[in-house]
Amino acid sequence: MKKKIVFISEINAQSINTTSTHILTENILYGLKKAGYYVTFLAICSTEDAFSNTEQHYRNLVDELYLVRSRFGGSNNKYKKLFDMVKGVFVSRPYKKILPKKLDLAENTVLVSHTPSYEAIFLCRELLKRCNSIKYIQYWSDPMALSGIMPEQFNYKRRPFYWLEKYAYKLASEIVFGTEPLYKMNSTLYPNYKSKMRYVDLAYLHNSDSELDKNRNLFIYAGNYYKAIRNIQPLYEAFSELTPNCQLDIYGRGDLELKPTENIRIHSRISPDELAKIENSYQNTLVLLNQGCMQIPGKTFYRMNTNQNILVIADGSHREELKTYLSRYNRFLICNNDKDDIKVAVQKLMKSGPFHCSNEFLRLLSPEYVSSKIIEGDML
């Protein structure tokens, strides 16, 4: 009999507002199904659009699909969100009420919640009341108490999120993080729960084309560039000074006014589906790490299976630690977020050919292998 996975996460309609969390959820679901599990997806719809227009998209990925509406109301106000999360700790009835009655929990069932959706944790809590003998794995692709900050910046203002994260950890059988740096900083902040914690490397996307044959002088940066999170200025200045035959296209949103130049084109944010088609036209993709926290953007890993060159631009006070971690993949060209350093790296890529991934690399970072390690992996 196949092991049954009940996977719970937030979803949104396929649009420009689709986040890395939604992309990662789809990739894990695909991997679980391909690895041979019986997959039930309990999808928390963050908007009415998601509830009405995403069923067919996800039904093709899983064996069973249940859609429920978020109880948070879709507010972007951080204080309202915090209130809703705290309320959910003490008031369980709304989550008990929206649980599908048909959802079966056999003895071989494994519950998996994907955070940062805190409502997924509330739903798992209610399911555990039905059958408390099943394993419950929390998968964290983003932290809560340390979100957007470096570990040494943790202070009393983060205490409510620290308390919420601690409450969540108590419920879990195992806690799995998407990267080693995320595992390290959370196991340090919560030493009493370290024995439950481990990490599994992120997989490449199941729907990314593996073979590209494109112009080596074309570069793309796809991501937001708000100044408080990422510093795109050195990248912009570097390309402004490079030869005109070196072309950079920037797709995303930001609070810095970037003007087109002879070899830099500026575009607005687009949906993941549109981006997937466009990215195949580029031999080189650029990833700009966050300057204010140790969260590694998911897009760093999404196209690892392609022969595209991936330039990772490291930033922040812990950039050397992140560079050491990413260097172990032997997949990325890594430089500092410095104008001259970027120019040297770009010129190196313009002289190099496509990247070639080994079969073993492709196996170990495939969605099915990584998803199965989330379920079966040994504790560190």
Side-chain angles (χ1 to χ4, degrees), residues 147-160:
S147 177
I149 62 171
M150 293 296 182
E152 60 270 18
Q153 295 174 315
F154 179 78
N155 57 43
Y156 71 94
K157 293 181 180 179
R158 296 288 176 138
R159 279 286 169 183

Side-chain angles (χ1 to χ4, degrees), residues 205-212 276-277 280 303 305-308:
L205 289 187
H206 70 92
N207 55 356
S208 57
D209 292 332
S210 58
E211 291 298 324
L212 306 170
K277 297 173 184 176
N280 291 338
R303 297 183 66 81
N305 65 317
T306 71
N307 63 0
Q308 202 170 43

Side-chain angles (χ1 to χ4, degrees), residues 85 115-116 118 140 142-147 158 161 164-165 186:
M85 285 189 283
T115 313
Y118 210 78
W140 293 77
D142 290 290
M144 184 172 288
L146 295 176
S147 177
R158 296 288 176 138
F161 299 102
L164 284 164
E165 213 161 27
N186 278 276

Side-chain angles (χ1 to χ4, degrees), residues 94-311:
Y95 295 97
K96 183 178 180 180
K97 190 175 180 180
I98 64 173
L99 275 179
K101 290 183 173 59
K102 294 181 180 179
L103 183 54
D104 177 55
L105 298 177
E107 282 299 317
N108 67 337
T109 299
V110 177
L111 274 181
V112 183
S113 62
H114 181 194
T115 313
S117 172
Y118 210 78
E119 288 187 291
I121 292 168
F122 294 150
L123 288 170
C124 285
R125 176 191 64 193
E126 298 310 307
L127 286 172
L128 287 170
K129 292 176 182 178
R130 291 187 187 178
C131 184
N132 61 10
S133 62
I134 59 178
K135 181 192 286 188
Y136 170 32
I137 298 173
Q138 288 177 4
Y139 181 78
W140 293 77
S141 56
D142 290 290
M144 184 172 288
L146 295 176
S147 177
I149 62 171
M150 293 296 182
E152 60 270 18
Q153 295 174 315
F154 179 78
N155 57 43
Y156 71 94
K157 293 181 180 179
R158 296 288 176 138
R159 279 286 169 183
F161 299 102
Y162 173 86
W163 178 82
L164 284 164
E165 213 161 27
K166 196 172 180 180
Y167 171 81
Y169 289 167
K170 287 180 182 178
L171 299 171
S173 308
E174 297 179 14
I175 303 160
V176 182
F177 297 99
T179 64
E180 185 185 37
L182 197 56
Y183 158 75
K184 283 184 174 181
M185 67 186 195
N186 278 276
S187 61
T188 301
L189 188 61
Y190 303 96
N192 291 341
Y193 296 98
K194 185 176 181 179
S195 61
K196 291 185 177 185
M197 296 177 174
R198 56 187 171 91
Y199 74 92
V200 176
D201 292 314
L202 291 178
Y204 54 77
L205 289 187
H206 70 92
N207 55 356
S208 57
D209 292 332
S210 58
E211 291 298 324
L212 306 170
D213 184 17
K214 303 299 177 184
N215 189 330
R216 69 181 63 181
N217 294 347
L218 293 178
F219 294 77
I220 182 173
Y221 171 77
N224 292 337
Y225 46 92
Y226 293 101
K227 288 182 286 187
I229 303 171
R230 295 174 191 143
N231 178 17
I232 200 173
Q233 192 67 41
L235 174 62
Y236 180 82
E237 292 176 357
F239 271 86
S240 296
E241 295 180 8
L242 287 165
T243 57
N245 67 329
C246 177
Q247 180 72 51
L248 170 64
D249 284 289
I250 298 175
Y251 289 84
R253 295 171 178 157
D255 50 9
L256 183 68
E257 185 179 354
L258 300 178
K259 295 181 180 180
T261 69
E262 189 175 6
N263 56 345
I264 302 176
R265 294 180 292 202
I266 311 299
H267 312 267
S268 59
R269 183 183 172 103
I270 57 176
S271 72
D273 287 344
E274 292 177 287
L275 181 60
K277 297 173 184 176
I278 291 172
E279 279 185 312
N280 291 338
S281 303
Y282 297 84
Q283 186 59 60
N284 309 285
T285 186
L286 309 180
V287 178
L288 183 56
L289 297 189
N290 300 322
Q291 64 176 340
C293 65
M294 293 181 68
Q295 292 158 253
I296 300 175
K299 65 176 70 69
T300 309
F301 307 93
Y302 290 163
R303 297 183 66 81
M304 289 189 298
N305 65 317
T306 71
N307 63 0
Q308 202 170 43
N309 295 311
I310 303 173
L311 173 59

Side-chain angles (χ1 to χ4, degrees), residues 12-18 22 26 49 54 57-58 271-273:
N12 203 343
Q14 303 297 301
S15 69
I16 61 172
N17 295 317
T18 299
H22 304 134
E26 178 178 327
D49 188 21
T54 58
H57 178 80
Y58 286 96
S271 72
D273 287 344

